[in-house]
Amino acid sequence: LFDDSFVNKTLCERHLNEAKGDQTAFDFMRSQGDEAFARYQERIANLYSDKRINKAKRERLLMTAADIPQDFVERQLRETQYIARMVKDLL
């Protein structure tokens, strides 16, 4: 999601993160075969039902690249511009 916030962080082994690249977790796991993908979906369902992740985190973990909102990058750019102006004023 091009989002560097805490809610968008997930711990994993380095080689997995490198293999995932810029794919969503859902798309990456789907490419790992039916068994791995089914385990991934089950793990997400269990984490959510056990209240170890919230609805927003579950939705991000189950999001395909096609599901990423089109306005996301534009919104991030506006927020970055706002932050840059505030920092400039502070400096």
Side-chain angles (χ1 to χ4, degrees):
L1 291 177
F2 312 103
D3 180 359
D4 200 26
S5 68
F6 181 75
V7 73
N8 199 41
K9 303 285 187 204
T10 301
L11 292 175
C12 71
E13 296 176 15
R14 181 184 196 126
H15 73 278
L16 292 173
N17 191 45
E18 290 171 351
K20 180 183 133 336
D22 63 357
Q23 298 176 75
T24 65
F26 186 88
D27 290 336
F28 173 71
M29 291 307 299
R30 187 168 41 193
S31 74
Q32 300 301 300
D34 292 340
E35 186 179 327
F37 185 55
R39 283 194 320 264
Y40 174 75
Q41 290 179 300
E42 183 179 343
R43 189 175 323 123
I44 300 305
N46 289 338
L47 288 169
Y48 182 69
S49 67
D50 292 344
K51 296 183 172 46
R52 295 177 64 197
I53 61 172
N54 62 24
K55 182 179 178 183
K57 184 68 169 185
R58 182 189 68 169
E59 289 175 359
R60 285 179 185 233
L61 290 169
L62 297 175
M63 183 179 289
T64 68
D67 295 333
I68 296 174
Q70 295 298 318
D71 71 334
F72 183 81
V73 172
E74 177 131 353
R75 184 171 30 116
Q76 290 294 93
L77 288 172
R78 283 194 307 272
E79 290 173 359
T80 301
Q81 290 169 341
Y82 172 77
I83 292 168
R85 281 194 306 270
M86 296 299 294
V87 169
K88 180 182 171 195
D89 290 345
L90 289 171
L91 294 175

